[in-house]
Structures are given as structure tokens and as C-alpha cells.
Amino acid sequence: MRREIFDEDHEAFRQTCRTFIARELVPHLQEWEEAGVVSKEAWRKAGAQGLLGTAIEERFGGGGVDDFRFNVVLDEELIAAGVTGFGAPVHNDINVPYLTKLATEEQKQRWLPHFCTGETVTAIAMTEPEAGSDLQGIRTTAVRDGDEYVINGQKTFISNGINADLVIVVARTDPDPSSGHEGISLLVVESDAPGFERGRNLEKIGQKSQDTAELFFNDVRVPARNLLGEEGQGFVYLMQNLPQERLSIAVASAAGAAKALELTKEYCKERTAFGRPIGKFQNTRFELAEIATEVEIGQVFADRCITEHVRGELSIEHAAMAKWWLTEMNKRVVDRCLQLHGGYGYMLEYPIAKAFLDTRVQTIYGGTTEIMKEIVGRQLGF
């Protein structure tokens, strides 16, 4: 489909991304899938190519262009190449706003240069074993002790958790449960801090090369200067930045559905049954027609949300709508495309099988479909 949200600079960046991914990432996919983690060298190469921190100021080594469309280009090219485990979207799309909008000048000087070179990989630790979508239910604590905070608690399902050198930790600085969201703050923990431990690299059904870990904080002392923003305002900051995270997931979902459609169209042209290509059967054509229509409608809405976000106008409810509808659409499309592949769709040597596994989590992370509908429903006045 024709898209009008990109200009020549974005398309030039797309070519850079496409070339880099084909040269530096795709040849190692099987190796990283088996290892459960992308190599640190790949991160450094991505940094050297200018793919990390495009929204960060040039004086820190970033691209100096606060334009989410560049993030979109990289996200789309990763999906198009079948690279679902490289955690750049977490690094670029989710974590950059916290570090650029909340960090002090001193913090920026410490963290951002290595962020952009890929020498520092970042993660954000929200989810806990007993608190997922309900962030007010977190139990990890950060108690002020002089010029330090002492952090205790456990996080789980943390993307980039094994590779992370810098972790933005959502913690309760007010131990009084009645403080609710007002007792939550954001603290940055460097991975060499005593008491910080990584647990298992969790074994998942999909996105195998994306390292997803348990993290443990046992009397971890971090300097008070590692507080991001103001104490007690962490929940507010999360709510301000979650729309971009959800839009990032929606973008990946739209790209994933488009990729599944292309794979299936090619398969239906080549695969024969009863003496003719299966694409010649009416049922197959109708299925593909429905899929193509959904993919195009989804892309139009995704592009509208991207445009709104670039203008600083993306609402919480539109981000939630995009997140739930596009992830559910992608799940539905991939399932139907796998069916059209027949028995071969169940074989991992076919990309549609990997897409089936990789796609499933998208309706869960970043806020489940059910939570997104709750957000939209509340905005409707209920």
C-alpha cells in the first residue's frame, strides 16, 4: 500500500537499516535463537551504524532527531527480516523517553553516550511475579538511607534482562500501601551494583533470541542521584510514556501481519493441489482478500497514530486502541496464514511457523488486550 508518512530521510534510513539487518543480524539468527540471547557485539555494531538513540541529542552521540518515524522504520525492517529477538525497540522506543525527559544533565552525561554506542544495553523492570498489568500492586521497595536508596524485590519477564547494563526499576519509595500510585518512583540500577542478580533467562514459546529474565534486588544500594525525575512521581511518568510503548507494539504487529500476508501469497502461488496452485481456489482467494483488507485497514490506523504521536497528540485511548486491535489482528492473520500453508505451516523451517510463535505474546505484553479495552472503555465515560 502507498504510505505518506515518510520522507526521503526516512527512506534513506530504511535502506541503512535493511542493509545492516541483512549483513549483521540475519546470518546469526539461528545461533541466537539457540543461545536465547543476541550477542553484545550486535548491539555495538548497531550503535556504530547509528541505529540506537536516534532521538538522543547529538552531543551525546545520538541522531539528534526526535522523530518517532525513524523508530518505526527500524521496527518494521526488523519484523520484515524475521528478526524478533533484537531488543532495540525496548532500548529505543520504550527507554529513551525516560532518559531524555527525566534524566538530569549529570545523568545524561553518565548514561547516554554508551547508550548510543550500544556499549550500554538498557531494560525497564516493571512486572513482578504478583503484579503485571496492575502496576500499583508492585512490592519492590526502595528505602532512602542517607545519600542512597536500598532496593529489595523481584522482577520478572524483563526484556533485555540478561544483556542489560542499565535497568530502570519501578519501585515503591513509600512503603505505606495506602499511598497507592503516589508511592512509586523510578530508579536506575547499574548491573555491577552489589546485590543485583539476574535469575533465569526464561524459556519462551517464541521470540527465542530475545533475552527475557528474572531480576533480583537484595539490599541493592544505589546513589540517590540515580533517581529518575521526582520521588513519588514514577506512576505518572509510566502513564505518560506507555502510549509510545504501546504504539511501538502496534507498529510491530502491523508489520508482522503484512509480512505474514506476503509469505502466504507467495506460498499460495507456488503450492499446487489437484493440479493447480492453491491460490486459484475461491476459498483461498477469499481468505487472502479478507486478510489483505484487514492488514491495510490496520496499517492506515497505525499510520494515523504515528502521525498523531509525531505531533505530540497521540491520546491514551488511541494508543490503547492501536495496541489491542493491531495485536489481535496480527494474531488472527498469522493463524489464518498458517492454515493456508497446510501441514508445512506447522514446520519450523517455514517462516510462518516462527511468526505464529513470535506473535502470540503481543496481545499480552505492554498491557493485555483486556486492559487496553478497559482503558478505552473508561475514556468512553464508563
Side-chain angles (χ1 to χ4, degrees):
M1 64 174 287
R2 180 181 178 184
R3 301 170 68 191
E4 299 179 348
I5 66 169
F6 302 114
D7 61 27
E8 292 180 359
D9 290 338
H10 300 115
E11 295 305 335
F13 184 66
R14 186 181 297 279
Q15 191 56 53
T16 297
C17 293
R18 188 172 296 171
T19 301
F20 174 83
I21 292 167
R23 185 181 66 241
E24 301 293 351
L25 302 186
V26 171
H28 302 287
L29 285 184
Q30 187 60 39
E31 168 193 342
W32 294 336
E33 291 270 311
E34 293 172 0
V37 63
V38 172
S39 72
K40 280 291 191 77
E41 181 184 10
W43 281 92
R44 290 189 289 270
K45 288 182 176 179
Q49 193 64 57
L51 304 187
L52 306 179
T54 53
I56 291 174
E57 295 174 74
E58 290 184 76
R59 64 193 179 103
F60 298 119
V65 183
D66 189 8
D67 180 347
F68 188 71
R69 288 172 294 180
F70 287 100
N71 300 51
V72 170
V73 167
L74 176 57
D75 295 349
E76 290 179 344
E77 289 304 312
L78 287 170
I79 294 295
V83 181
T84 55
F86 183 47
V90 174
H91 195 68
N92 284 336
D93 303 357
I94 299 176
N95 294 340
V96 162
Y98 293 99
L99 297 175
T100 56
K101 296 176 183 178
L102 301 176
T104 65
E105 178 64 23
E106 184 273 334
Q107 289 172 334
K108 290 178 180 179
Q109 293 283 356
R110 272 196 290 152
W111 298 326
L112 294 186
H114 286 169
F115 180 106
C116 296
T117 62
E119 294 170 273
T120 292
V121 177
T122 62
I124 184 165
M126 301 186 206
T127 304
E128 298 181 3
E130 309 255 342
S133 296
D134 179 16
L135 290 174
Q136 296 188 56
I138 65 167
R139 297 181 181 179
T140 297
T141 59
V143 178
R144 185 70 181 258
D145 183 19
D147 292 332
E148 296 178 314
Y149 284 94
V150 182
I151 304 176
N152 282 283
Q154 178 183 351
K155 300 290 183 178
T156 194
F157 307 147
I158 307 306
S159 299
N160 292 352
I162 297 298
N163 266 334
D165 305 287
L166 207 67
V167 182
I168 300 170
V169 179
V170 181
R172 187 168 289 284
T173 45
D174 186 340
D176 183 359
S178 65
S179 63
H181 66 81
E182 294 180 356
I184 294 173
S185 303
L186 305 181
L187 290 133
V188 176
V189 175
E190 282 112 341
S191 61
D192 59 357
F196 171 74
E197 298 177 9
R198 306 176 208 268
R200 296 175 297 152
N201 187 358
L202 299 168
E203 188 173 358
K204 310 181 297 295
I205 64 172
Q207 299 194 15
K208 293 283 191 177
S209 58
Q210 168 68 73
D211 52 311
T212 306
E214 300 171 314
L215 302 179
F216 298 94
F217 304 86
N218 302 304
D219 290 329
V220 176
R221 289 183 171 269
V222 298
R225 65 194 177 114
N226 278 23
L227 177 72
L228 264 185
E230 298 179 21
E231 185 176 296
Q233 294 298 302
F235 189 81
V236 174
Y237 301 143
L238 291 169
M239 293 304 102
Q240 290 171 344
N241 289 313
L242 278 171
Q244 177 162 306
E245 175 179 347
R246 288 164 180 162
L247 179 58
S248 173
I249 297 169
V251 164
S253 296
K259 176 67 174 179
L261 174 59
E262 288 305 311
L263 289 170
T264 307
K265 283 165 56 181
E266 290 305 311
Y267 179 82
C268 291
K269 290 175 183 177
E270 297 170 2
R271 175 68 172 169
T272 60
F274 304 103
R276 55 177 171 162
I278 62 174
K280 294 290 186 180
F281 290 95
Q282 185 186 66
N283 180 71
T284 303
R285 293 200 307 273
F286 279 14
E287 282 284 307
L288 290 172
E290 291 180 11
I291 291 168
T293 303
E294 285 198 71
V295 169
E296 183 135 356
I297 290 170
Q299 190 65 70
V300 169
F301 185 57
D303 286 356
R304 172 186 162 181
C305 290
I306 292 165
T307 301
E308 289 178 350
H309 188 49
V310 170
R311 293 199 305 254
E313 298 173 0
L314 179 65
S315 65
I316 292 172
E317 61 266 33
H318 276 180
M321 287 177 180
K323 200 278 177 184
W324 88 255
W325 196 86
L326 282 158
T327 58
E328 292 288 348
M329 183 271 287
N330 189 23
K331 182 175 73 172
R332 188 166 59 246
V333 163
V334 170
D335 183 71
R336 295 173 78 179
C337 287
L338 187 149
Q339 183 71 21
L340 289 171
H341 277 72
Y344 289 105
Y346 205 64
M347 301 297 110
L348 279 173
E349 64 189 275
Y350 280 74
I352 196 67
K354 183 176 183 298
F356 181 80
L357 296 172
D358 290 345
T359 294
R360 187 59 187 85
V361 73
Q362 291 178 328
T363 61
I364 299 171
Y365 61 24
T368 63
T369 292
E370 293 74 20
I371 294 297
M372 295 303 98
K373 291 179 179 179
E374 183 68 21
I375 290 170
V376 174
R378 289 177 181 176
Q379 295 299 322
L380 295 175
F382 296 99

